[in-house]
Amino acid sequence: MTAMPAQHALPSWWRTQLHQLDDYVSSKSVPTESDFVIIGSGISGASVAYHILQQHKGPKPPRLTILEARQACSGATGRNGGHLKPDPYSFISKLAAQYGPEAAEEVAEFEKSHVDAISNLVKSENIDCDLVVTKAIDVQLNPRECKKVKASLDHLLGIGVKSAKRVNVTDRKEAEVRSRVKGALGCFSYEAGHIWPYKLVLHILGRCVEQGAKLYTHTPAQCISPEKDASDRWTVDTPRGTIKTKYVVIASNAYTPAVLPMYSNNIVPVRGVCCRIVPTLPVKSLTETYTLRWSWSEFDYLIPREDGSVIVGGAWSKYYRDMDTWYNNTNDNEIIEPAKEYFDGYMQRNFHGWEESGAYVDQIWTGIMGYSADSLPHIGQVPGKPGQFIIAGFTGHGMPQAWLSGKGIAAMVAEGIPFAKSGIPRIFETTQARLEKNRNDILETMGEVTKPSARL
């Protein structure tokens, strides 16, 4: 399948109040020259652009061009579950086993810092994006998995990974009362947030345009020249003309292989599904975010909205066996049929107190995530391509990783700071060695969940 975005994507609820920049085009043709070209207008691209402009010290602002294949923030950021959820223990335990406790803790602290960084950004920029800082509750519904997760958490504490201390554990006796989830066998809770991601990103893009950035929606980067020209610049081709630039930042996540074919086996488009559920009768509102987990790789997630609705994503158990419906699939213009009815009665089925709520699915949509073959983002200078930088492959977990990764990329691009001093976790750095690894965590995970014992 092509790695370019599909046209006429299903409407995401986050994109129901469109910003004036949603279809914005700065001029009929793109500039022939630009100091920086950023491909992608989601949270990653917006962060890079914002921080380049913030960090700039000269009298004249840099010439900065943002290219977007569809509408502004119409990819994963504008179609996700609204979570701003750092992971202090779950995937961190896997990182500790593979890369050591120090590297794992570096990732956990980096993710945690996103809650403060985005909270401070929202306050300083006065952004209306419904940010709520609360607790996340991971609810375990499989006894074997619950025991395994508790053992992993204890192991992290034993080897001194301090992020694990932030996790509060509720055992089986109190889990259902604590979480209000039917059949809960254990709860793991910690600080997290939720947000209206589209509103956050469009506000930031607006600030960039005010400061002179050029934004071109409906203007895909069709290709980047394989080599630099005689003046040491890359050429970026678009339907609105060609741009010469010294620096290109590829912030297109799942669609990265369209302009960087060398990443085609390392960043794979993976299709997921989200919906908005609305109660029709009064119900005791949820105040925390949730993950309902049947196995390490089989789970749903949700956030409560202040209007009483909930955004729920997941349903993977209904379609993962049919790889064509989700793996290397960029069709966010159609629903995943096996998941279509999964969310009907979801809140009544899973939550105490919602049985008589009359909750129904108000809107359902798909979105395309950029899954990395080794489960880690690819960030930094593209190997063998000086002046090209990548920030992509967030594996459905970009909200607590992308904003400060963008800040680090901006420092590398605009100030020449090396990756090691960028503030980005060392294991996120894109390298030739990572590209050459014969590994595919995505398909390995699918193999695990097809075992009969995976879900009880």
Side-chain angles (χ1 to χ4, degrees):
M1 285 197 180
T2 176
M4 290 298 284
Q7 293 303 305
H8 312 299
L10 291 171
S12 148
W13 186 77
W14 300 121
R15 292 181 39 79
T16 53
Q17 296 179 26
L18 297 181
H19 191 277
Q20 60 188 14
L21 293 181
D22 193 69
D23 284 300
Y24 187 77
V25 177
S26 287
S27 55
K28 191 176 177 182
S29 301
V30 294
T32 55
E33 295 182 356
S34 190
D35 297 318
F36 307 100
V37 172
I38 298 168
I39 301 170
S41 68
I43 191 167
S44 299
S47 175
V48 175
Y50 177 82
H51 287 108
I52 286 175
L53 293 167
Q54 290 281 92
Q55 293 165 13
H56 182 71
K57 308 272 193 307
K60 259 176 75 177
R63 297 172 298 172
L64 191 151
T65 304
I66 305 165
L67 303 175
E68 171 56 56
R70 300 188 299 197
Q71 302 96 332
C73 194
S74 58
T77 311
R79 311 182 69 76
N80 66 23
H83 255 129
L84 174 57
K85 184 181 177 185
D87 178 1
Y89 77 106
S90 181
F91 186 56
I92 299 303
S93 65
K94 292 185 175 289
L95 294 182
Q98 189 169 355
Y99 301 99
E102 192 180 321
E105 189 168 293
E106 198 178 332
V107 173
E109 294 308 305
F110 182 70
E111 291 193 10
K112 179 182 183 292
S113 65
H114 275 73
V115 178
D116 286 339
I118 290 179
S119 295
N120 292 336
L121 174 75
V122 168
K123 187 182 283 186
S124 67
E125 288 279 356
N126 193 25
I127 306 174
D128 174 18
C129 61
D130 296 358
L131 172 65
V132 176
V133 177
T134 180
K135 293 281 185 185
I137 310 178
D138 294 346
V139 181
Q140 293 293 340
L141 295 154
N142 176 320
R144 189 162 34 217
E145 186 69 17
C146 189
K147 190 176 177 184
K148 191 171 148 189
V149 169
K150 180 65 168 65
S152 294
L153 178 63
D154 291 342
H155 177 68
L156 285 179
L157 291 166
I159 60 176
V161 176
K162 66 182 182 184
S163 65
K165 294 177 183 175
R166 299 198 294 269
V167 182
N168 295 312
V169 181
T170 306
D171 62 19
R172 186 169 191 162
K173 192 167 64 173
E174 301 291 332
E176 248 183 280
V177 174
R178 165 75 181 89
S179 67
R180 298 170 57 190
V181 174
K182 298 174 182 180
L185 302 176
C187 299
F188 300 78
S189 61
Y190 45 93
E191 186 185 70
H194 56 89
I195 198 166
W196 192 314
Y198 173 85
K199 287 188 175 181
L200 173 78
V201 170
L202 266 292
H203 181 101
I204 294 304
L205 291 174
R207 290 284 287 122
C208 293
V209 170
E210 284 170 14
Q211 294 173 71
K214 305 294 185 186
L215 172 63
Y216 294 88
T217 63
H218 302 286
T219 310
Q222 294 166 315
C223 70
I224 304 170
S225 59
E227 305 290 340
K228 288 184 176 180
D229 66 12
S231 58
D232 198 36
R233 294 179 301 176
W234 298 101
T235 302
V236 181
D237 289 335
T238 84
R240 297 183 196 276
T242 296
I243 314 172
K244 299 277 190 183
T245 183
K246 194 172 179 185
Y247 298 104
V248 186
V249 178
I250 296 92
S252 48
N253 207 25
Y255 307 106
T256 298
V259 286
L260 281 179
M262 62 195 284
Y263 282 85
S264 58
N265 294 322
N266 288 273
I267 298 176
V268 178
V270 166
R271 189 164 64 145
V273 62
C274 257
C275 73
R276 179 177 183 251
I277 295 176
V278 181
T280 56
L281 295 171
V283 65
K284 186 183 174 186
S285 297
L286 304 176
T287 58
E288 297 160 302
T289 79
Y290 285 82
T291 299
L292 274 55
R293 196 174 281 274
W294 290 270
S295 75
W296 181 79
S297 56
E298 209 172 336
F299 59 91
D300 300 328
Y301 50 89
L302 67 89
I303 66 163
R305 294 267 312 139
E306 290 181 334
D307 60 9
S309 67
V310 290
I311 306 293
V312 189
W316 200 51
S317 60
K318 293 297 176 188
Y319 63 88
Y320 69 82
R321 290 178 183 86
D322 182 2
M323 269 182 60
D324 289 343
T325 64
W326 60 273
Y327 185 80
N328 201 20
N329 187 318
T330 57
N331 294 341
D332 59 7
N333 57 353
E334 56 189 35
I335 198 63
I336 301 173
E337 285 299 327
K340 198 171 180 180
E341 295 174 5
Y342 176 81
F343 297 106
D344 292 342
Y346 186 90
M347 298 303 293
Q348 294 93 322
R349 220 166 43 235
N350 290 301
F351 284 85
H352 288 293
W354 282 71
E355 293 86 353
E356 307 302 321
S357 65
Y360 69 98
V361 176
D362 171 63
Q363 196 165 343
I364 187 166
W365 63 92
T366 49
I368 311 302
M369 299 166 282
Y371 267 52
S372 163
D374 64 5
S375 303
L376 298 171
H378 281 271
I379 303 172
Q381 185 182 284
V382 175
K385 305 274 186 184
Q388 286 189 31
F389 290 79
I390 183 172
I391 171 171
F394 287 101
T395 313
H397 193 59
M399 290 303 288
Q401 294 178 341
W403 181 257
L404 293 176
S405 294
K407 183 179 181 181
I409 284 282
M412 284 183 258
V413 172
E415 300 179 37
I417 288 171
F419 185 93
K421 294 185 179 177
S422 68
I424 302 168
R426 72 194 87 161
I427 58 175
F428 289 4
E429 183 174 14
T430 192
T431 62
Q432 189 62 37
R434 282 181 66 193
L435 294 180
E436 290 172 359
K437 271 187 184 172
N438 185 20
R439 175 175 174 176
N440 191 324
D441 290 1
I442 317 159
L443 297 181
E444 282 178 27
T445 298
M446 190 192 73
E448 286 171 20
V449 298
T450 54
K451 294 173 185 174
S453 61
R455 182 169 180 177
L456 300 182

